[in-house]
Amino acid sequence: MKLKVKILKTAAVTGRSVVLCDEGGRMLPGQQRTVLNCPHDDIPRLTVEFVVDGDSVQLVGSD
């Protein structure tokens, strides 16, 4: 599976937000917060915080 990082226009102070999406461009559910860190001489990194609500994001044990 390949994931995509999408920049959306918003009405917030910055005017944009970053979300994590699936291969089809659909936003992954349960995203509470994202932080995009783009050092000038390194690979950009995205940290995503999810809400584990038991419905769209579930906590499961090992198989």
Side-chain angles (χ1 to χ4, degrees):
M1 172 190 282
K2 292 185 180 183
L3 299 174
K4 298 180 179 182
V5 178
K6 188 183 287 188
I7 299 173
L8 303 175
K9 292 182 181 180
T10 65
V13 175
T14 62
R16 60 187 179 205
S17 63
V18 177
V19 295
L20 188 60
C21 299
D22 66 10
E23 292 177 6
R26 294 175 297 273
M27 187 175 100
L28 297 181
Q31 293 179 67
Q32 179 68 31
R33 183 180 118 148
T34 58
V35 177
L36 182 60
N37 186 358
C38 298
H40 70 10
D41 60 349
D42 201 3
I43 299 171
R45 297 178 189 275
L46 179 69
T47 303
V48 182
E49 182 178 300
F50 291 92
V51 173
V52 180
D53 61 4
D55 183 32
S56 59
V57 179
Q58 300 176 352
L59 183 62
V60 297
S62 59
D63 293 337

